[in-house]
Amino acid sequence: MSEILSQEEIDALLAALNSGEIDPGEIRKEAVEQRVKLYDFKRPEKFTKEQMRTLQMIHDNLARSLTTYLAATLRTVVDVKVVSVQQLSYYEFTRSLPVLTIMSVFDIPEWEGRSLVETNPSLVFTVIDRILGGPGIPPDKPRPLTDIEQGIVQQVLRQIAVLAQEAWRTVANVQFQLGSLETNPLFTQIVSQNETVALVTCSARIGSTEGMVNICLPHMVLERVIDRLTTRSWFAGQTHPGGSKTADRVQRRIQDVDLPIVAELGSTQITVSDLLGLQIGDCIKLDARIDGQVKVFVGPFPKFSGRIGLQRRQVAVQVETLIAGGEEDGA
C-alpha cells in the first residue's frame, strides 16, 4: 500500500476533520504510539541489523581463509562456515560455555581493547594430533593443554590472527595480537559482565571431528569503527588495489609445497602367469636403452627428459629437456 496520499484522499481527510468525524487528538495519540518501541535495559541492542550483516560478511571471508589455511596445514578435509551473528551480554556468553574449553584472548592496540575466541577442545586436540603426525583423533575426555601443546596452539593462533587482519582490511587496518590462552571461562574477563558483545558462531569440521568456534567482539571495542560497519563501506573496501600482494603471497605459499619427482627407467608388459612365476634373480627386459633418455614425472605428469647416471656414488638423473604439454599427456 502506498504511504503517499492522493489529492482525493487529502481532500476527504480535510473534510472529515472540518466536520468533526475525526478527532485530531486521536491522530496525534496514534502517531505517538507508533513511535514508541519497547526497550529492555538489561539487554540493550547496540548493533543495527546492517552492522550485524557487515560483521557476518567479514567473518565469512575469514571462514573461507581459515578453511584454506587449515586444509593445507593439516592435509585433511576442513570446512569452516559462519552459523550466526548475534548480540548479547558478556555475562550470557560466558555462562553458556562449558567449564573446560579453550579461550584465546587477542589484544587489539588500534581499538584499545581485546577480543575473545572460544574453541571446542576436540577441534584443538585434532589440530595438535594432525600437526604431530597423528590421524587427528581427539582424546575421549577433555583435559588441560600441556606446555608443548600450548606452544603448537599459539603458533596456529598467530597465523589465524594474520587471517583475521586480512578479513578486516575491507573495513579497517587493524592488528590482532595473541595474548593469553585460558581454559576456564570464569577466569577470562575482557569486559564487564553487562557489556554488549557481538558473538560470531562458526561451525568447523576437521576430518571426522566437528565442533563450534565462537568469536566475541565487545561493542566498546568496535566503537572506533562502528560507523564503518556498513555494507557500503565493506563493498568499497573490496575494490582496494591489493591483487599483486595477494598473488605474491600465494606464490610464496606454493613454492613451499612438496612434490614427488620420479624418473621412470622404462616399461614392459608381461602375462599374469609370468608375474606369478617371478623369483629372486629373474630379469625383466624393459623397452628403454641404457644410453637413452628417461621420463621424469612430477606427480602424475611427465615434465622432463633426462639421463640416468651417478652423482657422488648415488643414482641420479640429469634433466636435459622440458616436455611441452606434459600435464595433458599424463592426464
Side-chain angles (χ1 to χ4, degrees):
M1 179 178 180
S2 175
E3 296 181 357
I4 301 177
L5 299 178
S6 65
Q7 186 61 43
E8 295 179 357
E9 292 173 334
I10 294 175
D11 294 339
L13 179 61
L14 292 176
L17 289 173
N18 293 331
S19 63
E21 296 179 7
I22 299 178
D23 185 4
E26 291 294 333
I27 296 178
R28 288 194 294 269
K29 182 179 179 181
E30 292 179 2
V32 172
E33 290 177 351
Q34 290 178 357
R35 291 197 299 265
V36 174
K37 182 180 179 181
L38 297 178
Y39 188 82
D40 187 357
F41 286 93
K42 294 182 180 179
R43 297 188 59 181
E45 294 185 359
K46 296 184 178 181
F47 294 98
T48 65
K49 291 183 178 180
E50 186 177 19
Q51 291 167 352
M52 300 296 282
R53 284 196 299 268
T54 306
L55 286 174
Q56 177 158 359
M57 288 187 292
I58 292 173
H59 289 86
D60 281 338
N61 279 354
L62 176 58
R64 286 190 290 268
S65 300
L66 190 57
T67 299
T68 303
Y69 163 68
L70 290 178
T73 302
L74 306 180
R75 299 187 179 184
T76 187
V77 177
V78 177
D79 183 24
V80 182
K81 57 184 177 182
V82 178
V83 176
S84 65
V85 180
Q86 57 183 325
Q87 56 178 317
L88 66 165
S89 67
Y90 186 73
Y91 174 83
E92 293 173 319
F93 166 61
T94 55
R95 289 303 181 273
S96 65
L97 300 178
V99 177
L100 183 60
T101 186
I102 308 299
M103 311 279 288
S104 312
V105 179
F106 290 90
D107 297 320
I108 311 175
E110 291 83 359
W111 296 344
E112 297 181 356
R114 294 182 296 176
S115 63
L116 183 66
V117 177
E118 184 268 334
T119 311
N120 189 292
S122 60
L123 293 174
V124 175
F125 282 107
T126 298
V127 171
I128 295 173
D129 193 50
R130 291 291 304 180
I131 291 178
L132 295 179
I137 300 177
D140 296 334
K141 295 182 179 180
R143 58 172 176 79
L145 298 174
T146 64
D147 292 341
I148 295 178
E149 291 171 342
Q150 287 187 14
I152 296 174
V153 173
Q154 288 173 352
Q155 183 178 359
V156 175
L157 290 174
R158 290 189 182 96
Q159 181 59 39
I160 295 177
V162 176
L163 299 178
Q165 177 181 338
E166 293 293 331
W168 273 92
R169 194 179 297 278
T170 56
V171 176
N173 292 323
V174 64
Q175 292 184 352
F176 295 88
Q177 300 175 357
L178 179 61
S180 60
L181 197 65
E182 303 290 344
T183 57
N184 193 330
L186 300 178
F187 298 153
T188 309
Q189 189 76 23
I190 61 174
V191 290
S192 64
Q193 294 289 332
N194 296 326
E195 176 65 25
T196 301
V197 300
L199 181 63
V200 182
T201 302
C202 304
S203 65
R205 180 170 62 90
I206 303 176
S208 59
T209 304
E210 296 184 4
M212 306 301 293
V213 178
N214 293 307
I215 303 174
C216 176
L217 298 166
H219 180 271
M220 62 179 298
V221 178
L222 295 177
E223 281 182 340
R224 291 177 178 266
V225 292
I226 200 71
D227 295 336
R228 283 178 278 176
L229 288 179
T230 61
T231 53
R232 182 176 181 180
S233 300
W234 187 83
F235 283 114
Q238 291 288 308
T239 60
H240 67 86
S244 60
K245 293 183 179 179
T246 302
D248 293 341
R249 184 169 63 253
V250 172
Q251 184 176 4
R252 289 195 301 269
R253 291 286 183 86
I254 293 177
Q255 289 177 350
D256 295 333
V257 176
D258 294 331
L259 293 175
I261 296 181
V262 177
E264 185 181 89
L265 299 180
S267 61
T268 188
Q269 292 184 354
I270 61 175
T271 62
V272 175
S273 60
D274 291 339
L275 177 63
L276 296 176
L278 286 177
Q279 297 181 1
I280 298 176
D282 291 346
C283 294
I284 300 177
K285 184 178 180 181
L286 304 178
D287 59 356
R289 294 173 56 87
I290 298 178
D291 56 350
Q293 290 189 336
V294 298
K295 288 184 178 180
V296 180
F297 288 78
V298 178
F301 307 122
K303 296 297 296 182
F304 309 101
S305 294
R307 297 185 184 276
I308 299 296
L310 293 178
Q311 176 71 19
R312 295 182 180 178
R313 297 183 179 180
Q314 292 184 342
V315 179
V317 58
Q318 182 179 7
V319 177
E320 294 186 347
T321 59
L322 174 66
I323 299 178
E327 62 276 6
E328 297 179 359
D329 297 338

